[in-house]
Structure formats: C-alpha cells, structure tokens
Amino acid sequence: MATENKLHFWRRNAKGPGRFLKDTPKTNVANIKSKKPSTFHEFARSTNDAWDIDDEEDNDFFAPAHPSSIPAQSHSKPQTPRLKVSKHSTDTEPQPQPLNRLEPVSTELCQDQLKIDSEPTNGRVVKSNSDAQLNSNTVRGMLQKQQSLPVRPVIPLVARISDQNASGAPPMTVREKTRLDKFRQLLASPNTDLEDLRKHSWSGIPREVRPITWRLLSGYLPANMERREQVLQRKREEYFGFIEQYYHSRTDEHHRDTYRQIHIDIPRTNPLIPLFQQPLVQEVFERILFIWAIRHPASGYVQGINDLVTPFFVVFLSEFVEEDVENFEMAALPLETQRNIEADSFWCMSKLLDGIQDNYTFAQPGIQTKVKALEELVSRIDEDVHLHFKKCEVEYLQFAFRWMNNLLMRELPLRCTIRLWDTYQAESEGFSHFHLYVCAAFLIKWRKEILSMSDFQGLLMLLQNLPTIHWGNEEVGLLLAEAYRLKYMFADAPSHYKR
C-alpha cells in the first residue's frame, strides 16, 4: 500500500524539486545471522565506542592529542551523550547477551584477541589465564569465514571528483556538464538570482562550484558580484580580529572548561579521516569552536557542534585540492589560503547555527521538540514500525537525539553529508524543518531490518550502526526524494499530520 502511494505521488507531482532516478532498486542489507560472543573480551571489544575514552584525558588535555589512541571503527560513533545499552565491569564477567552484528568479525579482531591472550616473558610466549576462555579452533574458524567473504571495494569517506556515486558511474555526463554550465552562468551574473540558484542546487551542486554556491546560499556572501570580494575581505579580517581579542582567554578560569571540552572533542571528530587528525587542522577547529562559543553565551559549546564544521571545511578546502582530500596535508597550502578557509568555515557554520541554536541552549529544547515531532510523524506514515518500537520499549530519544544533534552526520559518510547539505541549503529552513522529514525517510528505509529485530539491545545497536558506509549520491537522492514526498503530504497539509 505504501509503495502504491509513493508511485501515485510521483505520477501526480512530476515537477518536484530536482530530478531523481526512476525505478532504482533499493540496496538491501546483507542478512547476517546473530552470533554470540565466545568470550567477554570479544563482547567488550565488539561494543567498544570511540566516545568511551579514558578520563585520564581530563588531566592531560593541554598535551598533544594522539590520534592513534582512537580505536578504528567501521563507522563513526556519536559524540552526543546517550543512554547506554549495557555497561559491564571488567572485574567480573557476566553472561554476555546475543549481539546482532551488522558486519562479520574482522581478521584484526581475531588477531587482537590472540595478542590479548598471550604475553611474552623472557623471549617465550606464555599463555595467560584468559587463554582458557578462547578456543583456538573458534578463532581459526572465524579467520577462515572472514577470508571466504567477498572483498568489497574501498570507497573514500570524502568524495573526489571521480566519485559521483557508490556504483562507480562516469565522472561527468552530458547532463552534468549542462548543469555545471548553468551554475556558472548564474554565478557569473552581476546579481545572482538566489531563488534560481536554490532551484538548481536542490538536486546537488557540482563540485567545481560548490564552495561559492554554499557561501551564497548560506547568506555569507551577497548576491551582488561587485560586493563579494569586499565582503570576503572584511569578514575574514573580522574573524581574525576575534582571534586576537578572545583566543588568549582560553586558559582563563572563566573559559577553561569550555576550551578543555573542545580540546577533548576535536580528536574524536571524524576519527577515520586522516585530514582531521592533523595537529594543524585540529588547531583550526579549536579556534573556530572557541570563538563561536564565547560569542554565543546562551548556548556556549555543546558536544556535537564540532561535527558541523567539517562539511564547510572540506568544501572550502576542495577549491585547492582536486583529489584525495581526506589525506591532504594542510601545511602544504599557503598561510593566507589556510586563513581564508578557516574564516569562511567559521562564518558559514555560524549562519547554520543561527537557524538551529535552540538545539543547543539549556536542556536543548529544539532537539526535544524535533524528536517528538519525528515520533508523531512515524506513527502516521508507518504504524508497524512505531508499534514495534513500543513493543521493544525503544524510545525515539535513544536513537534520534544524535540524528537531530549532529544532523545525521554520524549516520552517513562525509561525502553523503555534503550532498545532503546541498539540498538543505537550497530548502527553506532546510536544517531546522526539512531535516525532520529526512530523518523520517531515513528511518523508514530500514523498516525491514527494524521489524526483523525482536529485542531492545539488537534494535538499538542496529539504529546506532546503520550500514551506510557504501552510500553515494544515488542513495542520498532517493532519500531526499522520499523526504520531499513526506513534506509535501504532511507539512503542507497540517490536518493530515494530526490524528
């Protein structure tokens, strides 16, 4: 019934924003059987989270960060506080619960387990007490199973020019060249028509013109071409004036806690991307976040805001880097270019946060309201999923809090977030209002996997580790199309939203 409604909607609304692929098959998640951990060590390792970093950092937060201390993961984890599924003490070994793993056990995991269970003594390997808990046959079987799995292609977390979608489509088609020419024509006019620019940006912005387009759509630059260079120079000087005026106060007693939290959170920002583990880049982020925090005392710095800098930073960096952005050495750029990227990232992030600042004020009322609205919306569009959450005693706040707090940045690869933000900046109130419908469409996309989970822990682990690492422009386009359909049906028809 839901499928028929979707098809009927697009037949009646052929002039929706952007153009999307027809009859594109949805990517199904491989069904992998649940596997009980054989030891508590394996259970603890499988539930490890980059957020759970030792409190020793509190004492050493002025020391240089060590990126290698961040555990590698298949997908970034949230920075926002959330309810824990379970918590065990390492002093005792309770019976582990079954885990519904989304990915096969890795070879590295098995090797790490072997390292844990053996300790070198005087040049000889002596088995520790935990050796009795891990059967060597089990490890051998896990390794053989891993080796028998098909090798999946490695897709960069930050899109390059050639990465148009996850399926490896040609880098530039005739239609894409035509769109690029249209963008350049709009941007070259003496007074850019922002409405026309938004209309063309909804279905994605070509990489070559994305930096200037984002500056215009965010309100950072004026539509008048003659004024742009003057505004850029003035705003960049203003930002570095803030640095000279306020940044030295980061060690003052009044601002020490704010800077300390920023300093701890920065290494956790996109830990799988080498670019963001460079000390030079981390210093840039610290300055941006600290200056924003002290200029917005109503909210100050809140964990999760650090993620919102990264798309702007990568997009403005891409003006000077054609390939392999994620491994680019920031120090290779001229100092003036580095300063311009930093200042532009600050102002565009500030423009974004101006529209959603109630997400980060005391008690975060904006997020509470949006999560409640998501619950009401899902109960209308897919009652089966809604009732399944109730049956499993899963609260929307337990998984949707970070969807709102981090704007789905922890659920999607960075390349997909950038594509998503093309549409958010083209939409009226994209970050504050349209995001709700994107979250609803994102949730319903996984309805089959959600309904297959029958326990609280398995369901929550699925929702916190959705397999989107191989997503590309095609998947994001379909998600946005469904979100637009939901917005058209509910936001523009309030009586349908209420029971």
Side-chain angles (χ1 to χ4, degrees):
M1 187 66 180
T3 304
E4 292 177 0
N5 290 339
K6 292 178 185 179
L7 294 174
H8 185 58
F9 171 82
W10 290 115
R11 290 194 189 103
R12 291 187 295 105
N13 297 271
K15 295 184 179 180
R19 293 178 60 188
F20 301 93
L21 299 176
K22 293 184 178 180
D23 301 329
T24 303
K26 293 187 176 180
T27 303
N28 292 325
V29 181
N31 294 323
I32 300 175
K33 293 184 179 180
S34 302
K35 180 178 178 64
K36 286 189 177 182
S38 59
T39 69
F40 175 69
H41 289 293
E42 188 178 336
F43 170 73
R45 186 178 295 275
S46 67
T47 55
N48 192 22
D49 195 321
W51 180 246
D52 299 323
I53 298 179
D54 294 339
D55 292 336
E56 294 176 359
E57 284 189 355
D58 294 354
N59 300 325
D60 303 326
F61 75 94
F62 284 108
H66 299 284
S68 60
S69 65
I70 301 175
Q73 304 172 49
S74 62
H75 193 69
S76 301
K77 295 295 188 293
Q79 290 192 338
T80 54
R82 65 174 187 270
L83 297 178
K84 294 282 185 180
V85 176
S86 61
K87 186 175 182 180
H88 303 293
S89 171
T90 55
D91 297 330
T92 61
E93 296 194 2
Q95 183 67 27
Q97 299 296 322
L99 296 178
N100 293 285
R101 300 306 306 273
L102 299 178
E103 299 180 5
V105 180
S106 66
T107 305
E108 291 80 2
L109 173 62
C110 300
Q111 292 172 346
D112 289 345
Q113 184 66 62
L114 288 172
K115 291 178 182 178
I116 291 173
D117 294 336
S118 61
E119 300 173 356
T121 305
N122 297 328
R124 296 182 298 110
V125 176
V126 180
K127 298 293 182 180
S128 65
N129 293 334
S130 61
D131 183 58
Q133 303 170 4
L134 184 61
N135 189 295
S136 60
N137 293 332
T138 303
V139 175
R140 191 178 299 108
M142 292 161 64
L143 288 170
Q144 291 173 352
K145 180 179 179 181
Q146 173 69 17
Q147 292 170 357
S148 66
L149 292 171
V151 179
R152 302 188 71 176
V154 177
I155 298 181
L157 298 177
V158 180
R160 306 183 187 126
I161 292 177
S162 58
D163 298 321
Q164 295 300 313
N165 55 45
S167 59
M172 185 72 77
T173 64
V174 174
R175 176 179 175 273
E176 288 167 345
K177 288 180 180 178
T178 303
R179 291 189 72 244
L180 178 58
D181 291 340
K182 180 61 179 177
F183 270 91
R184 284 175 171 160
Q185 181 182 348
L186 283 169
L187 296 170
S189 62
N191 288 284
T192 301
D193 186 339
L194 294 181
E195 280 304 313
D196 205 12
L197 186 63
R198 288 190 181 95
K199 177 182 175 183
H200 285 82
S201 299
W202 205 99
S203 55
I205 302 171
R207 184 186 192 273
E208 295 83 352
V209 294
R210 182 176 279 134
I212 181 65
T213 304
W214 275 28
R215 290 185 183 104
L216 286 165
L217 294 181
S218 66
Y220 175 43
L221 281 186
N224 184 276
M225 178 178 283
E226 293 182 356
R227 295 181 52 225
R228 288 176 194 168
E229 193 61 37
Q230 180 183 355
V231 169
L232 273 179
Q233 183 178 353
R234 177 173 58 83
K235 298 297 284 186
R236 288 167 178 172
E237 289 176 357
E238 186 178 355
Y239 168 71
F240 283 101
F242 294 151
I243 296 292
E244 294 179 5
Q245 185 176 357
Y246 300 116
Y247 194 59
H248 65 85
S249 67
R250 64 190 182 280
T251 56
D252 294 351
E253 184 177 355
H254 184 61
H255 298 305
R256 178 181 290 269
D257 288 344
T258 297
Y259 177 71
R260 168 187 161 279
Q261 190 60 60
I262 292 172
H263 185 86
I264 291 174
D265 287 348
I266 292 301
R268 301 169 179 168
T269 304
N270 292 294
L272 299 181
I273 302 180
L275 172 68
F276 298 113
Q277 301 309 310
Q278 297 175 26
L280 182 61
V281 174
Q282 292 182 357
E283 290 171 7
V284 168
F285 277 48
E286 285 181 3
R287 288 194 292 268
I288 290 174
L289 294 170
F290 182 77
I291 296 301
W292 188 89
I294 63 175
R295 294 189 72 246
H296 296 80
S299 61
Y301 172 74
V302 177
Q303 291 170 335
I305 295 179
N306 54 309
D307 281 334
L308 306 184
V309 186
T310 56
F312 293 112
F313 184 82
V314 168
V315 167
F316 297 144
L317 177 62
S318 69
E319 284 186 283
F320 311 97
V321 183
E322 292 187 354
E323 296 286 342
D324 202 15
V325 176
E326 61 192 70
N327 291 303
F328 181 76
E329 284 292 333
M330 187 71 176
L333 290 176
L335 180 60
E336 185 66 22
T337 301
Q338 296 178 30
R339 288 167 61 90
N340 292 344
I341 293 172
E342 178 178 346
D344 292 354
S345 299
F346 169 81
W347 286 115
C348 288
M349 185 199 73
S350 298
K351 293 287 187 181
L352 185 160
L353 288 171
D354 285 348
I356 58 172
Q357 193 168 352
D358 62 340
N359 284 8
Y360 306 104
T361 53
F362 178 73
Q364 299 183 268
I367 291 180
Q368 303 280 349
T369 301
K370 291 181 177 71
V371 171
K372 183 63 178 175
L374 177 65
E375 180 176 358
E376 293 177 359
L377 182 58
V378 172
S379 71
R380 296 291 290 162
I381 63 179
D382 199 322
E383 191 174 13
D384 290 342
V385 169
H386 180 69
L387 293 177
H388 189 65
F389 284 150
K390 284 194 171 183
K391 178 183 176 182
C392 296
E393 299 182 346
V394 171
E395 300 289 340
Y396 284 76
L397 197 64
Q398 291 169 328
F399 64 88
F401 180 91
R402 83 180 190 191
W403 293 12
M404 304 300 177
N405 190 67
N406 300 76
L407 298 177
L408 287 177
M409 285 194 61
R410 293 287 168 144
E411 324 312 317
L412 300 172
L414 185 54
R415 63 179 180 275
C416 294
T417 297
I418 291 173
R419 167 62 191 91
L420 188 67
W421 284 23
D422 286 347
T423 300
Y424 279 5
Q425 300 206 66
E427 267 285 328
S428 176
E429 299 181 325
F431 293 98
S432 59
H433 184 63
F434 187 62
H435 179 67
L436 168 67
Y437 299 94
V438 172
C439 288
F442 185 67
L443 180 64
I444 300 306
K445 175 176 176 56
W446 309 102
R447 75 181 308 273
K448 181 179 178 181
E449 292 77 16
I450 289 170
L451 295 176
S452 68
M453 294 290 178
S454 58
D455 65 292
F456 171 84
Q457 179 170 325
L459 186 53
L460 206 57
M461 289 189 69
L462 168 68
L463 292 168
Q464 292 179 349
N465 297 275
L466 292 167
T468 61
I469 190 64
H470 288 270
W471 273 31
N473 288 354
E474 181 178 328
E475 290 81 0
V476 176
L478 293 171
L479 178 69
L480 288 166
E482 177 62 10
Y484 177 78
R485 186 184 74 88
L486 294 175
K487 178 177 178 288
Y488 183 90
M489 293 174 62
F490 292 95
D492 299 333
S495 60
H496 291 183
Y497 189 74
K498 301 176 182 178
R499 290 187 180 277

